[in-house]
Amino acid sequence: MTYLVKNFFIKIYRKILSKTIYRRNFKTHAFYNYYFSNPKKKYIVQVGGNDGVQNDPLRPYLKKKGNYEAIIFEPIQYYYKKLKELYLG
């Protein structure tokens, strides 16, 4: 019985939390600024990195050294080579 009550309150808490987050309505650029300004260690996974420059919203943040680790996936060999050259070192 206590499991059901605890589960019920966790569901309510998650709904309230999600509505609070969406109410702030972060725009993509504002979210990235907020995320990268946070001093905590960050882990980034980008799927479909393309060439790393064209239409890449993370490029301005990944150009600078910071407290993050990034994994960028790109299945197309041509773009993979470009990414590898871009982020070498």
Side-chain angles (χ1 to χ4, degrees):
M1 183 66 175
T2 57
Y3 172 76
L4 293 174
V5 172
K6 186 177 177 182
N7 196 20
F8 173 75
F9 283 108
I10 288 174
K11 284 182 180 179
I12 290 176
Y13 174 74
R14 286 182 180 166
K15 284 184 181 182
I16 291 170
L17 186 61
S18 70
K19 291 191 184 309
T20 303
I21 290 170
Y22 290 125
R23 188 178 60 205
R24 291 184 191 158
N25 198 14
F26 271 123
K27 302 288 186 241
T28 304
H29 184 71
F31 172 76
Y32 289 148
N33 286 336
Y34 167 77
Y35 184 73
F36 282 95
S37 68
N38 191 339
K40 292 183 180 177
K41 180 82 171 176
K42 298 163 209 47
Y43 299 95
I44 303 158
V45 177
Q46 184 180 20
V47 179
N50 202 6
D51 64 356
V53 178
Q54 188 177 24
N55 297 322
D56 188 357
L58 296 179
R59 177 68 179 147
Y61 305 100
L62 297 179
K63 279 197 296 191
K64 304 175 212 159
K65 294 217 181 256
N67 57 344
Y68 61 83
E69 291 181 25
I71 297 173
I72 304 173
F73 290 99
E74 179 51 56
I76 300 172
Q77 189 70 21
Y78 173 77
Y79 290 125
Y80 169 76
K81 287 179 183 177
K82 286 189 159 272
L83 271 174
K84 192 174 177 180
E85 290 172 12
L86 182 66
Y87 290 115
L88 189 66

